Amino acid sequence: MLSQRAQEQVPHSTYNEMWDVMRDPWTKFDNPQGSVDLGVAENKLMQAELQHFLENNINLYGSVISYQDGPTGSQRLRQALAKFLSRQLETHRPLEASQIIVTNGVSSALEHSAWALADESEAFLLGRPYYGEITLCQRPHVRTVPVTFGDVNPLSLAAVGCYERALLEAQRQGQVVKGVLLCSPHNPLGRCYPRHVLRALLALCSKYQLHLVSDEAYALSVWRVPMFTSVLSLDLEDLIDPSLVHVLWGVSKDFGANGWRMGCLISPRNWELRAALGSVAIYSYASSITDHVVAQMLEDDTFTAAYLAENRRRLAGAFAFTTDFLQRHAIPFMADTHAALFVWADLGQAYRRRRHPERASRRTAIEALEAVDEGKVVEKVKKSLRQQKVYLAWGGNFDSESNDMFRIVFAHPISYLEEGLRRIDRALGSAIGPKTGVVQDQVLSLSRI
């Protein structure tokens, strides 16, 4: 006999394709029939460098087998984080160790935020497409209010009006909205919010006394202009009550260390939130070994500067390789990506075009095709991807306004990436070559997602 909340999770836990993919990894020689994973947001471009640092620099000592300083992170780690993030995020005020709560991953920090800032059935605004809904809903039982943009760029100043309209409509229906959750840089769009848009969103939150939770897990993985702006780099007192602003960060994405399980919540001006979370932090206690390793790594300014610079260079190269492949194979994608580990691609549209090449040059015909049986086409694409044993994250899991979209993670060595892209191409069916009537609008704008 299970609790009602546990019973609700049983159907969702019976099968997850992602874990099957991870148990059967492709390698060129040892397992050429294995699965290629371009779906999980994991950076594998710098694994050798990280391994080398661990082997040659980390010295473990007795305290790493103890509880150390308690469940919110050691004083040493929080001091290292405060110094490192103050510099990297160019914070308006230097961070202090007391303003940071360490967790076993950013997902735990996000769940803590939902638990502490909203009661059950209250909600956060989330702009579509978005990542993180399940973390809010699964255990804290906090709802999401999706923000739909239509033809509006979701990272533009005009999008702030969409947030306000969604808020007012939710309130009209009796929904209590406690905050706005941003993923900045954006997952899955791979773009940064401009400074003026962040200021406008903070002003909106101030107007309605909403919390702003900024998930900045990809903050240091911005590999071409425009560069990243952290909300902590702004003079918050000119815009909002600073106690309403909270930031999340971790080593999983920017340092390619998903398995270390180390994230943090930064709330510089809300001591009550930090005190409340201190009471439940035992449930997100980071390993003392991880605590020690991350502290020692972040204290090494020379290593982190060189590592992050080389990581950005490799990400830019992998993105260029991926988008060149997509362009050559007539797979539409969002080309103005400049951050994070993925590209947002329209496989549904590519699938339709390949099966109707005689009409592919006629824009009106394509628009008509896109409107017919969208659900069936997407299911065919997903089935074909499974048959080719290549795993992608589907746009429906991000509540995308177009179900045709898929997230392709490109942060892999070229040989692995090339194998995955070839399988995607095969899954879409007979390719339309560049000289056989390809529709020449493979690049998607932010108003077409």
Side-chain angles (χ1 to χ4, degrees):
M1 299 297 290
L2 300 178
S3 68
Q4 182 62 40
R5 58 179 175 268
Q7 291 179 50
E8 291 171 357
Q9 298 308 314
V10 170
H12 303 293
S13 63
T14 53
Y15 175 74
N16 188 322
E17 181 184 1
M18 181 174 73
W19 306 126
D20 281 352
V21 169
M22 290 181 173
R23 284 189 286 266
D24 181 34
W26 173 84
T27 58
K28 186 172 184 178
F29 299 109
D30 295 334
N31 190 20
Q33 302 305 316
S35 298
V36 176
D37 177 9
L38 300 185
V40 177
E42 189 166 14
N43 185 349
K44 296 189 176 181
L45 291 172
M46 299 286 292
Q47 289 188 330
E49 287 74 8
L50 198 59
Q51 184 68 31
H52 183 268
F53 179 81
L54 290 174
E55 292 172 351
N56 291 277
N57 295 276
I58 299 301
N59 297 309
L60 300 179
Y61 54 87
S63 66
V64 299
I65 59 174
S66 74
Y67 278 134
Q68 292 188 287
D69 298 11
T72 60
S74 71
Q75 180 70 11
R76 180 190 180 188
L77 174 57
R78 288 185 290 115
Q79 286 177 339
L81 282 164
K83 180 182 176 183
F84 175 80
L85 292 175
S86 294
R87 181 174 65 252
Q88 294 292 338
L89 302 182
E90 299 180 348
T91 59
H92 184 72
R93 293 183 176 181
L95 297 174
E96 300 174 7
S98 62
Q99 298 168 339
I100 299 173
I101 290 180
V102 173
T103 59
N104 56 356
V106 175
S107 293
S108 294
L110 178 56
E111 184 182 86
H112 277 335
S113 301
W115 175 85
L117 300 177
D119 288 316
E120 287 194 20
S121 298
E122 294 180 340
F124 277 79
L125 295 176
L126 269 174
R128 302 171 67 189
Y130 51 74
Y131 174 83
E133 178 185 27
I134 190 171
T135 310
L136 300 178
C137 300
Q138 196 167 47
R139 293 199 301 183
H141 295 170
V142 172
R143 296 180 178 179
T144 57
V145 175
V147 180
T148 299
F149 301 102
D151 292 333
V152 174
N153 176 343
L155 290 90
S156 69
L157 194 60
V160 179
C162 299
Y163 278 94
E164 185 165 26
R165 286 190 290 274
L167 170 66
L168 295 175
E169 177 58 24
Q171 291 177 337
R172 188 186 68 79
Q173 296 180 13
Q175 177 67 66
V176 176
V177 177
K178 297 302 290 287
V180 174
L181 174 60
L182 295 183
C183 194
S184 176
H186 195 281
N187 179 5
L189 300 182
R191 289 179 58 87
C192 300
Y193 285 88
R195 179 177 292 267
H196 67 282
V197 176
L198 290 174
R199 290 176 62 89
L201 285 166
L202 285 163
L204 176 70
C205 289
S206 180
K207 179 179 179 179
Y208 294 99
Q209 287 297 285
L210 303 175
H211 291 275
L212 180 74
V213 178
S214 182
D215 179 350
E216 301 185 359
Y218 297 96
L220 312 183
S221 298
V222 180
W223 30 268
R224 69 180 186 187
V225 294
M227 301 310 291
F228 172 70
T229 299
S230 170
V231 295
L232 294 178
S233 71
L234 305 176
D235 185 354
L236 297 177
E237 292 187 355
D238 285 348
L239 300 166
I240 192 173
D241 176 354
S243 69
L244 294 172
V245 178
H246 323 280
V247 167
L248 314 177
W249 185 79
V251 298
S252 290
K253 311 306 180 184
D254 289 334
F255 281 94
N258 288 38
W260 286 6
R261 309 312 307 139
M262 200 296 294
C264 64
L265 185 151
I266 309 159
S267 187
R269 303 291 288 276
N270 195 321
W271 69 268
E272 290 179 309
L273 170 65
R274 301 196 303 267
L277 292 181
S279 71
V280 296
I282 193 170
Y283 305 118
S284 60
Y285 211 135
S287 158
S288 56
I289 294 178
T290 294
D291 186 299
H292 175 79
V293 168
V294 174
Q296 190 165 338
M297 180 180 72
L298 297 184
E299 289 167 349
D300 190 332
D301 296 342
T302 301
F303 170 76
T304 57
Y307 184 97
L308 292 171
E310 178 61 17
N311 183 49
R312 293 184 182 110
R313 188 189 70 80
R314 293 186 189 181
L315 285 171
F319 174 78
F321 180 87
T322 301
T323 53
D324 176 70
F325 183 98
L326 297 176
Q327 186 81 24
R328 288 188 290 106
H329 292 81
I331 300 172
F333 63 94
M334 199 175 73
D336 43 8
T337 298
H338 53 261
L341 318 178
F342 26 75
V343 62
W344 196 231
D346 192 338
L347 301 193
Q349 186 178 160
Y351 185 89
R352 292 184 185 88
R353 287 175 173 177
R354 293 188 180 196
R355 280 151 179 76
H356 299 274
E358 73 283 358
R359 290 183 285 180
S361 61
R362 295 173 53 200
R363 179 67 185 167
T364 54
I366 290 297
E367 290 171 346
L369 284 169
E370 289 172 348
V372 175
D373 263 348
E374 181 180 273
K376 290 184 178 179
V377 167
V378 169
E379 286 306 312
K380 289 178 181 178
V381 173
K382 291 162 68 177
K383 180 180 179 181
S384 190
L385 290 170
R386 288 193 296 270
Q387 290 172 340
Q388 293 296 329
K389 299 189 75 173
V390 57
Y391 176 66
L392 302 179
W394 171 51
N397 295 332
F398 297 88
D399 196 21
S400 172
E401 294 182 44
S402 167
N403 284 335
D404 284 349
M405 307 304 295
F406 288 78
R407 189 186 72 176
I408 302 174
V409 175
F410 56 77
H412 293 278
I414 292 301
S415 60
Y416 188 92
L417 184 57
E418 188 171 34
E419 177 68 19
L421 292 170
R422 286 172 178 166
R423 293 186 183 197
I424 292 171
D425 185 51
R426 290 199 298 267
L428 295 175
S430 300
I432 303 173
K435 297 181 180 180
T436 58
V438 173
V439 177
Q440 296 296 325
D441 60 345
Q442 276 79 263
V443 175
L444 298 177
S445 72
L446 280 174
S447 62
R448 290 173 56 202
I449 60 172

